[in-house]
Each structure stands twice: as structure tokens, then as C-alpha cells.
Amino acid sequence: MIETIYIARHGFRLNWVNTNWKSVTGLPRDPPLAAYGETQAQELADYFLSLPAEQRPTAVFSSPYYRCLQTAKPTSEALNLPIYVEHGLSEWYSPAAPGTGLHPRPAPAAELQAYFPTIDPVWSSLWHPSRRGEDLPQLHARTAGVLGALIPEIEARFPGAKRVLLVSHAATVIALARALLGEPALPLRVGCCSLTEVVRREGAETGTGRGTVGVLGGWRALRLVDGAHLKEGASRDWGFEDIVIANGKVIDDVGVPGTENEAEDTAGPQQRSSL
């Protein structure tokens, strides 16, 4: 049974310091980490390695975006753990404006393994965000759905994975923390490579086929978006108060040019694969 969940935001992005950045994977809107972000990722790994063995993560799950995989890589290598790619932890995009195309969908784990050899493609993502984007209620519904599927699936397939690290993005980190703690309006500002740590409440248990029972609201926080493990602390923090709202709703985003005629692929819960 999972006892502890660590949630980290990716490190500092290259596109924040260099407007001429190039996508390593060729995927639009998929910047790598800046050198500073790579340092933060290593500091995160060093922190986990400094913990007693019984407190270190025993499984690593990451968003499929390059910056998150880069952030997960040093921890994966330091702890000798594979990275499992979960699309349900992906970046949040607000709804795509009509006629502007769809948002990006990163490659599957088997293809991303070419860039990050410690990825284990045996894990098939349990959830895909919509390429048409999400409003805030849909983002929160996605993270709740992901957790309701993810935690019981990990416990069923990897019973020894008692402490799990999730590497994701600022908005998704906030929504994940809110869902786990059962606090839908919890105010959080998430800095790069900051760390959230939650532990299971006594009596909050899950099991195969039990879905969200004991998952949503079944945890208490030991730390929230903390940057104490980083030499310079967490940087470039972000919160939902930073989004632009019009008429009570988040404003539309622009889809990727050239995808206007593409059909939306399957979004939401995905068919589970077995080992």
C-alpha cells in the first residue's frame, strides 16, 4: 500500500531565458530545462538520496513532457528506479480557441525512451488530457480521475511501491494536491522543483477495483510546495491567481498551427494494460 506521495514540479525552463530554444523531441511547446533547471533536478535527487532508505521514493511517475522527464532523470538514476510515463500528469492548457487547432500530445513512453533510457514502457498511461484543452473544473476533474485510477493501479501492480514520486507541472501539481488533501480551494503557489509530501491518513485505504475510495481526501500534508531542499530555494512560482479570467472563465488559448484539421484522439480514461 502506498504510504507517501511526493509531488515535484519540473525545474526552470530554458524558454524563460532563451527565446531561440529548440524542442529536442520536435513537439511544439515542449522546452527543455535551462542549466539552472538541471541543477535543481540534481538537487532534488541529492535530497532524496540523503534520506534514510525507508523514506526514499520507490517508484517514479512523470508527465511525458521533456522538462518533467529531465527533472525525474537524476532521481531515477540516483535511486536506481525506472521512470513510468503517465500522460494524466501532463501540462494544463486552457480551452483551444475555435479554429486554432489542438494542443500538443507528447509521444508514448516507448518513443520517449530513446531520450531517457530509464523509462520503462511497460506502464501504459491511464489518462489522456483532451487536446482541446480544459477549463479549471475539467482540470480538477482530470487530476481527481487520474489519482482515482493511478493509486489503486500502482498498489495492484507494484505492491512494494510504498513511496511514489509524481513529477508534473504547476497547475497540475496544485490540482493534484487539492484532490489528495480534499481541499478544492487550497491556495498554493508552486515554484520550480518545489516538493509536496503527503502521507496517507489512518484508515484511508484503497485496493484493486475500489477506485477513488481512500484516495481523494485520504491524505495529510507534511510539506506543501517546499523549496528547502534547493540551494537557492524554489523559483518562478505560479498559482491560479496568475491566469487571465474573462466573464468568470479562463480565457481561450491558441492551438498548435497546422492541427486545425486533426481529429481529437481518445481523451480521458484509457484502457489499462496488464504486466
Side-chain angles (χ1 to χ4, degrees), residues 12-275:
F12 201 90
R13 293 163 47 161
L14 180 60
N15 64 309
W16 291 335
V17 295
N18 182 357
T19 58
N20 294 318
W21 69 274
K22 290 189 182 191
S23 171
V24 178
T25 62
L27 183 76
R29 304 177 187 171
D30 191 20
L33 297 180
Y36 175 45
E38 294 183 80
T39 297
Q40 291 176 316
Q42 185 60 55
E43 289 174 343
L44 180 66
D46 293 343
Y47 167 73
F48 284 130
L49 200 57
S50 75
L51 296 177
E54 64 272 15
Q55 295 178 23
R56 298 172 186 169
T58 50
V60 178
F61 287 79
S62 175
S63 158
Y65 282 85
Y66 197 86
R67 57 193 177 275
C68 287
L69 293 168
Q70 273 187 293
T71 302
K73 179 176 180 283
T75 295
S76 166
E77 293 176 341
L79 302 184
N80 195 27
L81 296 171
I83 299 173
Y84 298 115
V85 176
E86 176 52 59
H87 280 248
L89 302 175
S90 287
E91 178 71 283
W92 170 58
Y93 293 108
S94 56
T100 66
L102 303 173
H103 295 304
R105 169 86 73 225
E111 294 181 28
L112 293 171
Q113 191 181 32
Y115 306 99
F116 300 95
T118 60
I119 287 176
D120 187 343
V122 70
W123 181 270
S124 296
S125 287
L126 303 179
W127 202 282
H128 280 175
S130 172
R131 292 189 65 196
R132 299 188 187 282
E134 303 161 308
D135 59 23
L136 288 181
Q138 289 169 329
L139 168 64
H140 284 82
R142 186 236 297 184
T143 52
V146 170
L147 291 167
L150 181 67
I151 293 175
E153 186 78 354
I154 294 172
E155 293 178 334
R157 292 174 57 176
F158 310 120
K162 298 184 180 300
R163 296 168 299 280
V164 176
L165 169 63
L166 309 179
V167 182
S168 189
H169 310 260
T172 314
V173 167
I174 295 172
L176 288 167
R178 287 176 169 181
L180 288 168
L181 299 174
E183 299 183 41
L186 180 67
L188 291 174
R189 294 191 64 83
V190 188
C192 291
C193 252
S194 61
L195 191 62
T196 291
E197 179 182 359
V198 302
V199 294
R200 193 187 292 272
R201 293 183 184 276
E202 185 176 352
E205 299 178 354
T206 61
T208 304
R210 294 180 64 187
T212 60
V213 176
V215 173
L216 306 182
W219 308 77
R220 63 183 178 86
L222 296 186
R223 73 179 80 186
L224 287 171
V225 296
D226 180 47
H229 56 288
L230 302 171
K231 181 178 180 182
E232 297 185 24
S235 57
R236 200 166 174 121
D237 63 335
W238 185 93
F240 283 123
E241 59 271 24
D242 295 328
I243 63 177
V244 180
I245 301 289
N247 299 319
K249 294 183 179 180
V250 61
I251 63 168
D252 289 346
D253 200 350
V254 177
V256 176
T259 64
E260 293 83 358
N261 297 319
E262 289 185 16
E264 160 77 294
D265 56 5
T266 303
Q270 305 297 297
Q271 184 175 358
R272 300 184 186 188
S273 64
S274 59
L275 287 171

